[in-house]
Amino acid sequence: MIELEGLTKRYGEKTAVNNLTFSVRPGIVTGFLGPNGAGKSTTMRMMLGLDNPSAGSARIDGKHYAQLKNPLRHIGALLDAKAMHGGRSAHNHLLCLAQSNGIPRSRVDEVLDTVGLTAVARKKAKGFSLGMGQRLGIAGALLGDPQILMFDEPVNGLDPEGIHWIRNLMKSLAAGGRTVFVSSHLMSEMALTADHLVVIGQGRLLADTSMADFIREN
Ligand code: ADP
Ligand code: ADP
């Protein structure tokens, strides 16, 4: 469960995220829709403790991210396709992540298999294509077997096969009872994946509604 209450972020004069209050439920895919610059990434970064709110709060399973004992066991996120993995192999990258987060190393091979990277696991992640880098990021998000998964614009720049794979993954995670929160600036993308929509514009909440109701009313 994700709960935002009055979440706000100001950069000088600019209010990037303006008093957002909503929660994200388990068992469905919740889409986070808004044009570029609406405040989606800033909101997600605050949920992960990567940015400090100017006001309000974001809670993960009732706690601030920084208060979670084993954060990766609660929430996994794919934030940025350009994430750096240094000169390490995919396997090594995940192993380090597992070790520093108290996750059993057996999970590494499991998640590599889930994302379809087993065959290239010993290759340097630096040489990966965008789609493979995306899969590695998702492997990291799944590593702690968290109940909450968050994806920031996950299909951007991917080929049709990669897009199809990510959509299906998000749906099956939700079908398994997990909380799935995914951002996009495209309604057409949301319509294909999300059961529920949170819409923002210029940092403000514009809608928090089921996909069916949103389509009926817009
Ligand atoms: P989205 O993810 O919806 O495209 P962002 O959260 O990236 O939107 O950005 C929201 C607004 O906040 C934009 O106007 C952006 O320029 C501004 N912004 C984001 N990060 C910073 C920052 N570090 N300093 C100043 N302004 C920022
Ligand atoms: P570092 O600079 O040490 O690599 P990051 O800036 O990547 O750290 O992350 C800072 C915090 O955000 C850490 O507490 C980390 O656990 C958390 N974090 C980073 N990426 C993720 C993710 N994909 N899922 C969940 N939490 C994350």
Side-chain angles (χ1 to χ4, degrees):
M1 180 83 162
I2 302 172
E3 293 157 293
L4 271 58
E5 214 176 287
L7 190 69
T8 298
K9 181 69 180 183
R10 294 183 204 98
Y11 292 110
E13 299 281 277
K14 169 144 190 111
T15 305
V17 174
N18 198 339
N19 197 26
L20 288 187
T21 298
F22 64 87
S23 41
V24 186
R25 298 196 307 271
I28 56 169
V29 176
T30 298
F32 192 28
L33 177 69
N36 288 325
K40 305 183 295 298
S41 297
T42 305
T43 300
M44 288 178 153
R45 290 177 55 79
M46 288 193 282
M47 290 178 183
L48 293 174
L50 297 169
D51 255 331
N52 291 320
S54 309
S57 67
R59 288 172 188 276
I60 306 296
D61 294 334
K63 296 195 168 118
H64 292 295
Y65 186 90
Q67 298 170 325
L68 295 169
K69 276 215 186 73
N70 281 305
L72 295 192
R73 292 178 181 274
H74 289 267
I75 182 166
L78 177 74
L79 284 192
D80 184 344
K82 296 180 293 292
M84 287 301 299
H85 309 291
R88 288 178 292 181
S89 69
H91 185 273
N92 211 339
H93 165 72
L94 293 171
L95 196 58
C96 292
L97 201 56
Q99 280 168 346
S100 55
N101 285 280
I103 295 163
R105 56 188 297 152
S106 60
R107 278 292 292 162
V108 170
D109 287 330
E110 284 176 22
V111 296
L112 280 165
D113 184 53
T114 303
V115 304
L117 289 179
T118 303
V120 294
R122 307 284 167 177
K123 298 207 158 120
K124 284 191 180 168
K126 258 199 307 208
F128 281 9
S129 67
L130 179 70
M132 287 160 74
Q134 201 85 326
R135 284 172 190 251
L136 181 54
I138 291 172
L142 296 174
L143 197 62
D145 198 16
Q147 284 300 311
I148 305 173
L149 278 310
M150 195 154 88
F151 303 87
D152 192 7
E153 300 270 5
V155 306
N156 270 8
L158 293 191
D159 59 24
E161 194 202 330
I163 292 175
H164 187 70
W165 178 79
I166 288 190
R167 281 185 195 140
N168 282 341
L169 176 75
M170 291 190 292
K171 286 181 193 172
S172 66
L173 288 165
R178 289 182 172 76
T179 301
V180 179
F181 190 52
V182 53
S183 76
S184 177
H185 60 287
L186 295 173
M187 180 57 199
S188 54
E189 180 57 35
M190 297 278 79
L192 289 169
T193 37
D195 307 295
H196 191 92
L197 263 190
V198 171
V199 186
I200 65 167
Q202 298 185 337
R204 291 176 191 276
L205 187 71
L206 300 179
D208 178 0
T209 173
S210 73
M211 179 61 75
D213 284 352
F214 187 83
I215 288 172
R216 201 173 305 125
E217 289 160 16
N218 286 273

Short mmCIF file of all heavy atoms in Angstrom, two decimals, residues 94-103 105 143:
data_model
loop_
_atom_site.label_atom_id
_atom_site.label_comp_id
_atom_site.label_asym_id
_atom_site.label_seq_id
_atom_site.Cartn_x
_atom_site.Cartn_y
_atom_site.Cartn_z
N LEU A 94 23.45 -7.56 -9.66
CA LEU A 94 22.33 -8.03 -8.83
C LEU A 94 22.83 -8.67 -7.53
O LEU A 94 22.20 -8.53 -6.48
CB LEU A 94 21.46 -9.01 -9.62
CG LEU A 94 20.71 -8.38 -10.79
CD1 LEU A 94 20.05 -9.45 -11.65
CD2 LEU A 94 19.65 -7.38 -10.29
N LEU A 95 23.96 -9.35 -7.63
CA LEU A 95 24.53 -9.99 -6.45
C LEU A 95 24.91 -8.93 -5.40
O LEU A 95 24.62 -9.09 -4.21
CB LEU A 95 25.76 -10.81 -6.85
CG LEU A 95 26.27 -11.82 -5.84
CD1 LEU A 95 25.17 -12.82 -5.47
CD2 LEU A 95 27.47 -12.57 -6.41
N CYS A 96 25.53 -7.84 -5.87
CA CYS A 96 25.90 -6.74 -4.94
C CYS A 96 24.65 -6.15 -4.30
O CYS A 96 24.62 -5.91 -3.09
CB CYS A 96 26.65 -5.64 -5.68
SG CYS A 96 28.26 -6.14 -6.23
N LEU A 97 23.61 -5.95 -5.14
CA LEU A 97 22.36 -5.38 -4.63
C LEU A 97 21.74 -6.32 -3.59
O LEU A 97 21.27 -5.87 -2.54
CB LEU A 97 21.40 -5.20 -5.82
CG LEU A 97 20.24 -4.22 -5.66
CD1 LEU A 97 20.74 -2.83 -5.28
CD2 LEU A 97 19.45 -4.16 -6.97
N ALA A 98 21.79 -7.62 -3.86
CA ALA A 98 21.23 -8.61 -2.92
C ALA A 98 22.01 -8.58 -1.61
O ALA A 98 21.43 -8.52 -0.53
CB ALA A 98 21.27 -10.00 -3.54
N GLN A 99 23.34 -8.59 -1.73
CA GLN A 99 24.17 -8.63 -0.53
C GLN A 99 23.99 -7.40 0.35
O GLN A 99 23.92 -7.50 1.57
CB GLN A 99 25.64 -8.83 -0.91
CG GLN A 99 25.92 -10.28 -1.22
CD GLN A 99 27.27 -10.51 -1.88
OE1 GLN A 99 27.91 -9.57 -2.35
NE2 GLN A 99 27.70 -11.77 -1.92
N SER A 100 23.88 -6.22 -0.30
CA SER A 100 23.76 -5.01 0.51
C SER A 100 22.35 -4.82 1.05
O SER A 100 22.10 -3.90 1.83
CB SER A 100 24.22 -3.78 -0.27
OG SER A 100 23.50 -3.68 -1.47
N ASN A 101 21.41 -5.67 0.65
CA ASN A 101 20.04 -5.53 1.14
C ASN A 101 19.53 -6.76 1.87
O ASN A 101 18.32 -6.91 2.08
CB ASN A 101 19.10 -5.19 -0.02
CG ASN A 101 19.25 -3.74 -0.46
OD1 ASN A 101 18.71 -2.83 0.15
ND2 ASN A 101 20.04 -3.51 -1.51
N GLY A 102 20.43 -7.65 2.25
CA GLY A 102 20.03 -8.82 3.03
C GLY A 102 19.09 -9.76 2.29
O GLY A 102 18.22 -10.39 2.89
N ILE A 103 19.28 -9.84 0.97
CA ILE A 103 18.43 -10.70 0.15
C ILE A 103 19.24 -11.95 -0.22
O ILE A 103 20.40 -11.83 -0.63
CB ILE A 103 17.97 -9.94 -1.12
CG1 ILE A 103 17.08 -8.76 -0.72
CG2 ILE A 103 17.25 -10.87 -2.10
CD1 ILE A 103 16.91 -7.72 -1.82
N ARG A 105 21.17 -14.85 -2.02
CA ARG A 105 21.77 -14.78 -3.35
C ARG A 105 21.05 -15.68 -4.36
O ARG A 105 21.15 -15.45 -5.57
CB ARG A 105 23.27 -15.09 -3.31
CG ARG A 105 23.64 -16.42 -2.69
CD ARG A 105 25.15 -16.53 -2.50
NE ARG A 105 25.85 -16.48 -3.79
CZ ARG A 105 27.08 -16.04 -3.96
NH1 ARG A 105 27.77 -15.62 -2.93
NH2 ARG A 105 27.65 -16.05 -5.15
N LEU A 143 14.03 -8.13 -7.09
CA LEU A 143 14.97 -8.92 -6.29
C LEU A 143 14.49 -9.22 -4.87
O LEU A 143 14.58 -10.36 -4.40
CB LEU A 143 16.32 -8.18 -6.25
CG LEU A 143 17.55 -8.97 -5.83
CD1 LEU A 143 17.82 -10.11 -6.80
CD2 LEU A 143 18.77 -8.03 -5.80
#
